[in-house]
Amino acid sequence: MFDITTQAVAMSAPLHLKDASGNLMFAAAGKPIRIHLYGPASPEYARIEERQTQRALKRAAENEGKPTAPSPEDRRAQIAEDYAAVTIAFENFHYPPAGDVMGAEAFRATYADPTLGFIVNQITKFLGDWGNFKPASPTT
């Protein structure tokens, strides 16, 4: 019998960022610019799915059951909040406009910046592919 647990995914993985032109980004000395993210099997990811459902239900309740979309500004803020909640760390980069804030506040500020929307797009795509969280094969 096949042991299905051999296919289990990791709870987190690094995303190597690309610039707006699609080129992998590197810092000094060739260090990769990466974001470490919790994946779709993690409790952190489950919490953002719950928040998204709650927001949709609240909007429907406020609009007599009619589905409505958030404003572009609200949507950007919601995505920034959600992705900050599944971000573990930035590797080899920072976001100077955030000042001295660290952690979730810095992540949120970065993701809310519309000029860095290409980062949000990469995170969306990365989180949507469970294969990105497949542990590396053991070498023998």
Side-chain angles (χ1 to χ4, degrees):
M1 291 286 274
F2 180 74
D3 177 0
I4 195 68
T5 64
T6 63
Q7 300 301 302
V9 296
M11 291 293 151
S12 65
L15 163 62
H16 190 159
L17 289 178
K18 295 177 182 177
D19 64 20
S21 297
N23 302 305
L24 288 173
M25 294 194 294
F26 295 91
K31 294 180 179 179
I33 304 291
R34 300 193 300 188
I35 299 174
H36 294 262
L37 297 162
Y38 288 110
S42 70
E44 292 81 3
Y45 191 90
R47 283 193 285 278
I48 70 166
E49 287 182 321
E50 179 184 357
R51 276 202 307 264
Q52 290 168 347
T53 300
Q54 292 297 331
R55 286 192 295 253
L57 292 172
K58 182 179 178 193
R59 277 194 312 277
E62 291 172 350
N63 292 294
E64 299 175 4
K66 297 176 188 166
T68 57
S71 70
E73 296 79 18
D74 286 346
R75 180 75 180 133
R76 187 175 7 266
Q78 291 167 1
I79 290 171
E81 181 72 26
D82 291 344
Y83 287 176
V86 293
T87 299
I88 300 165
F90 286 167
E91 181 181 348
N92 299 317
F93 78 100
H94 68 286
Y95 180 69
D100 294 333
V101 300
M102 302 287 287
E105 289 181 61
F107 307 151
R108 192 177 309 106
T110 304
Y111 302 149
D113 185 335
T115 67
L116 296 174
F118 62 95
I119 293 174
V120 170
N121 288 352
Q122 289 174 64
I123 293 171
T124 301
K125 185 175 178 182
F126 188 81
L127 292 173
D129 184 350
W130 283 68
N132 290 323
F133 297 88
K134 181 99 172 103
S137 298
T139 55
T140 53

